[in-house]
């Protein structure tokens, strides 16, 4: 299994064979694969994230053994800047995802607590480990709140990155259902509640009060994740 880096307006990635990475309005530029030996029942990569720090376009690659950071300013020749070790089982299923704010990348994992990684330096360094386990992670950049979903709590825990970028205090938790992924933005949080088979919208404008605005069942169930367009419509 390999990571394919594609640039259109930004760097994107797909865990797919190189031949299948070509698509509509997309062009494969490079492929990196720092870990080998993946099988259908033993994945080596999970989430993917991109960020710009000090003029460099960075690809954050959460992997079984930790998190790899690539400089993608030349997308045809990504440069590995370093990696930060992370815990995971040596066989079978694992999961790790990433998000960011400023010069820090944040990774969640079902196998360890959240990691805050300083990517402003080369090689990147682990700044701190905090909170608990999480299946996925999302940043509300406007409020500087970090949402850690699933994992230890099953719902979501919200941390105050405005108070501390490396050791944010827990502000509140959402326990209404298991949250697989979420998208917090502009006074709302959109939840993919995969186990309940629905999509839920929370009003977060009166934070820490989280008000349920709507819950919609997903045809076929298994609501994996959710996102909005630029107009949030």
């Amino acid at each position: 299994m390999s990571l394919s880096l594609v640039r259109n307006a930004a760097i994107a990635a797909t865990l797919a064979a190189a031949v299948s990475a070509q698509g509509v309005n997309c062009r494969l530029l490079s492929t990196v694969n720092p870990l080998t030996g993946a099988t259908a029942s033993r994945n080596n990569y999970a989430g993917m994230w991109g960020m710009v720090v000090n003029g460099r376009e960075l690809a954050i690659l959460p992997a079984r053994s930790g998190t790899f950071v690539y400089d993608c300013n030349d997308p045809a020749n990504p440069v590995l800047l370093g990696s930060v070790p992370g815990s995971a089982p040596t066989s079978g299923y694992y999961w790790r995802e990433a998000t960011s704010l400023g010069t820090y990348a944040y990774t969640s994992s079902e196998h360890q607590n959240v990691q805050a990684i300083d990517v402003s330096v080369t090689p990147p360094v682990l700044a701190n480990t905090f909170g608990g386990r999480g299946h996925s992670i999302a940043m509300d950049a406007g409020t500087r709140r970090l949402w850690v979903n699933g994992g230890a709590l099953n719902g979501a825990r919200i941390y105050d990155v405005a108070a501390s970028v490396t050791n944010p205090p827990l502000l509140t938790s959402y326990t209404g259902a298991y949250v697989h992924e979420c998208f917090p933005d502009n006074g709302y949080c959109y939840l993919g509640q995969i186990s309940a088979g629905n999509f839920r919208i929370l009003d977060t404008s009166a934070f820490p009060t989280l008000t349920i605005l709507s819950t919609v069942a997903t045809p076929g169930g298994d609501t994996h994740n959710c996102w909005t367009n630029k107009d949030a419509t």
Side-chain angles (χ1 to χ4, degrees):
M1 186 177 292
S2 64
L3 171 69
S4 300
L5 301 179
V6 182
R7 173 184 280 174
N8 189 343
I11 299 293
T14 180
L15 299 179
V19 67
S20 65
Q22 311 296 341
V24 177
N25 297 325
C26 293
R27 181 166 57 92
L28 176 66
L29 296 177
S30 59
T31 301
V32 299
N33 186 23
L35 299 179
T36 59
T39 65
S41 61
R42 185 187 183 280
N43 60 318
N44 275 340
Y45 309 115
M48 182 68 196
W49 192 254
M51 57 191 296
V52 178
V53 176
N54 298 331
R56 294 197 300 190
E57 292 194 42
L58 303 180
I60 312 299
L61 172 57
R64 179 176 291 274
S65 61
T67 303
F68 293 88
V69 180
Y70 284 86
D71 182 335
C72 296
N73 268 9
D74 179 1
N77 298 285
V79 176
L80 178 62
L81 300 178
S83 62
V84 172
S87 300
T90 57
S91 62
Y93 166 89
Y94 102 100
W95 202 257
R96 196 185 314 279
E97 292 203 4
T99 188
S100 66
L101 185 71
T103 61
Y104 288 88
Y106 299 88
T107 62
S108 63
S109 173
E110 293 184 347
H111 314 288
Q112 68 176 105
N113 296 344
V114 177
Q115 291 182 318
I117 303 171
D118 184 354
V119 296
S120 68
V121 295
T122 302
V125 297
L126 177 64
N128 194 30
T129 300
F130 65 90
R133 296 177 292 108
H135 179 80
S136 63
I137 192 167
M139 181 69 72
D140 186 339
T143 62
R144 298 170 67 89
R145 297 184 193 126
L146 181 68
W147 291 63
V148 180
N149 310 305
L153 182 67
N154 284 330
R157 288 154 293 156
I158 302 99
Y159 295 89
D160 187 6
V161 179
S164 172
V165 294
T166 58
N167 192 29
L170 178 67
L171 292 172
T172 192
S173 298
Y174 166 79
T175 58
Y178 170 75
V179 177
H180 198 65
E181 303 230 7
C182 78
F183 176 52
D185 182 61
N186 197 30
Y188 300 95
C189 190
Y190 306 85
L191 310 177
Q193 300 186 151
I194 191 170
S195 299
N198 61 47
F199 157 65
R200 176 168 286 176
I201 301 177
L202 300 179
D203 182 346
T204 63
S205 60
F207 194 89
T209 300
L210 304 175
T211 302
I212 299 174
L213 296 181
S214 63
T215 304
V216 179
T218 306
D222 295 341
T223 314
H224 189 277
N225 58 348
C226 48
W227 202 266
T228 67
N229 61 15
K230 65 179 180 180
D231 299 318
T233 57

